Amino acid sequence: MSRLATGLQRLRRSSSSPWEVLWSALASCGLVLFSQLAVAMVPRLFPNLSLLAMLPIAGLVFLAAIVLGRLWRRFIGVAASAPLFVLFNILLLWGVYVFVIRRDTSSLLDMLINAECALLLWGLYRILSGDPGIVACDSSYLEEAGCKDFVEAICPSELPVLSRVRQCNWCKANVRGYDHHCPAFGTCIGQKNHRLFMALLTGFVVAESTYTMCSTKYITRCINSGTLRSENPVSLNLVISTMLFSILQVVWQIVFLMWHIYCICFNIKTDEWVISNFPCFGLFLHQLQVVFSLAVSCS
């Protein structure tokens, strides 16, 4: 339980009371429902469009809903949590599958998608409560390594404790094998959780692809059987909207996964690649994160 408590503390970088965590969870849940219901309006407003034509519209509507949701929660002074946003999206897709799509799914596919959703929840818990490879180093180590800080240089191999240790600009932790800070999971990705991160990213691609296949079968069955108009419009629109959401997720996650596979093959880290190839962009990201951190701490 102590590991889970440590992970929950990452939901916000500042100290939070239980009530603040509760309000953050409610805000995240509300943002998920609002964004998904907004996407569900796309098939209702454009029933004659093909699913492929609905994709860009659904993407724009989803982004607009997220922006409006963030403006609203900032107006009322409630902070949301990206990991909880991911969690509630998993639960929503799983719920739509169980209560709407499941009856048209084979037993084997049913076991597969339920196992995938359960593994995603377990993986999310593990990466939230786990240690990315945080190293506690004092200034004497830095002086011995000849580095002013962990951001500027990779520490020499003579000091294995400091090998490829960098300071995360987001949470100010010194992480061994630091790759990047993942806002979606609310933690740094380092040496100790990089494999779990890759497995979780692959799991999301597989689970959302499976969900897309199941929802496509459900919609096809409704069309072929002539029961499309007799189906509950709310349920049908929710199936279509979550399918569009899953497709959009799979598209960018595959690109993201391919990038990390490339980094693994050439033994580079995302943070190292950004700093070496786009130093100005890396500095811009650092300044942006500092400004965002100050804004969050003041909100």
Side-chain angles (χ1 to χ4, degrees), residues 154 166 268-280 282:
I154 301 174
R166 287 187 178 273
I268 60 175
K269 303 294 183 182
T270 301
D271 184 68
E272 296 171 1
W273 186 86
V274 170
I275 291 177
S276 61
N277 290 277
F278 302 99
C280 295

Side-chain angles (χ1 to χ4, degrees), residues 164 258-269 272-273:
R164 299 187 92 169
M258 291 175 62
W259 160 253
H260 281 283
I261 293 175
Y262 167 83
C263 290
I264 292 173
C265 292
F266 289 92
N267 192 27
I268 60 175
K269 303 294 183 182
E272 296 171 1
W273 186 86

Side-chain angles (χ1 to χ4, degrees), residues 201-215:
L201 183 58
T202 304
F204 271 101
V205 172
V206 173
E208 287 161 347
S209 299
T210 307
Y211 181 86
T212 301
M213 181 173 59
C214 293
S215 55

Side-chain angles (χ1 to χ4, degrees), residues 7-8 10-12 20-21 23-29 31-32 70 73 78-89 128 183-186:
L8 289 175
R10 298 195 194 117
L11 296 181
R12 292 194 65 189
E20 288 177 319
V21 174
W23 282 115
S24 177
L26 292 176
S28 302
C29 182
L31 188 58
V32 168
R70 288 188 174 183
R73 67 175 177 80
V78 177
S81 165
L84 287 176
F85 184 82
V86 174
L87 171 64
F88 288 129
N89 269 304
L128 181 63
F185 297 147

Side-chain angles (χ1 to χ4, degrees), residues 56-76:
I57 301 176
L60 292 175
V61 170
F62 182 79
L63 290 177
I66 294 297
V67 171
L68 289 176
R70 288 188 174 183
L71 291 175
W72 171 249
R73 67 175 177 80
R74 181 176 291 274
F75 175 75
I76 62 178

Side-chain angles (χ1 to χ4, degrees), residues 42-51 53-54 229:
V42 173
R44 187 170 183 84
L45 295 176
F46 305 98
N48 296 325
L49 290 181
S50 64
L51 292 176
M54 289 183 186
R229 295 186 179 276

